[in-house]
């Protein structure tokens, strides 16, 4: 069983997948930073200084120490049930950016991997036809 497991792990597909997961995690952090630190502030500026991450609706009781607070992280840490639609908008923009970048990458790879011109393969003659041809040629020689 250990040999089978070793053979499974040593296959190229498993190693490629592991590398893809590691690179994907690092890429996710880059996209999150791009969304949170570059794109969302610009969108907020366009819409009059809005910060989407701080948009939420309080769904439960707020502790007396946090009454009137608009700090999403503090309220969430205190266990207050919140409907954080601003965080959802940020995550949706994040997803769209990742999906678009992956689309561009796949498109570029498909263009780089141009198909080789297809040469028509010679038709493979069935064995019985080859045998009959050899018999015919032998009979012609006699």
């Amino acid at each position: 069983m250990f040999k089978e497991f070793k053979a499974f792990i040593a296959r190229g597909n498993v190693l490629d997948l592991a590398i893809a997961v590691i690179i994907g995690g690092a890429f996710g952090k880059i996209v999150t930073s791009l969304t949170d630190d570059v794109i969302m502030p610009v969108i907020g500026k366009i819409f009059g200084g809005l910060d989407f991450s701080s948009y939420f609706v309080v769904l439960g009781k707020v502790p007396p120490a946090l009454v009137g607070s608009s700090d999403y992280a503090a309220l969430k840490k205190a266990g207050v049930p919140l409907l954080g639609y601003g965080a959802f908008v940020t995550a949706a923009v994040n997803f769209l950016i990742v999906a678009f970048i992956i689309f561009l990458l796949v498109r570029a790879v498909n263009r780089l991997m141009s198909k080789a011109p297809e040469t028509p393969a010679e038709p493979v003659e069935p064995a019985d036809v080859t045998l009959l041809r050899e018999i015919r040629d032998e009979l012609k020689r006699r």
Side-chain angles (χ1 to χ4, degrees):
M1 184 165 83
F2 181 71
K3 288 181 182 179
E4 289 178 85
F5 179 71
K6 184 179 175 183
F8 172 75
I9 293 297
R11 286 185 17 202
N13 295 343
V14 175
L15 295 175
D16 291 345
L17 180 61
I19 291 169
V21 168
I22 292 168
I23 290 174
F27 183 70
K29 290 180 184 179
I30 291 171
V31 172
T32 300
S33 176
L34 175 69
T35 304
D36 293 343
D37 302 330
V38 177
I39 294 174
M40 293 312 282
V42 171
I43 291 173
K45 184 69 173 172
I46 291 170
F47 290 106
L50 299 176
D51 179 17
F52 286 100
S53 63
S54 65
Y55 282 121
F56 58 91
V57 175
V58 178
L59 299 175
K61 194 171 185 178
V62 178
L66 294 173
V67 171
S69 174
S70 63
D71 185 7
Y72 180 75
L75 289 169
K76 194 168 187 176
K77 186 176 180 181
V80 178
L82 303 170
L83 178 67
Y85 63 91
F88 175 75
V89 168
T90 302
V93 169
N94 210 354
F95 169 76
L96 290 174
I97 291 169
V98 170
F100 184 68
I101 290 173
I102 290 172
F103 165 73
L104 292 176
L105 287 172
V106 168
R107 189 171 152 207
V109 167
N110 285 340
R111 285 185 179 173
L112 288 175
M113 297 178 65
S114 62
K115 293 181 180 178
E118 293 184 23
T119 56
E122 293 182 22
V124 178
E125 194 172 78
D128 57 344
V129 174
T130 304
L131 182 60
L132 287 172
R133 194 175 309 272
E134 290 174 1
I135 292 171
R136 181 195 69 195
D137 293 343
E138 184 66 32
L139 288 174
K140 280 184 182 179
R141 277 189 269 156
R142 290 186 186 185

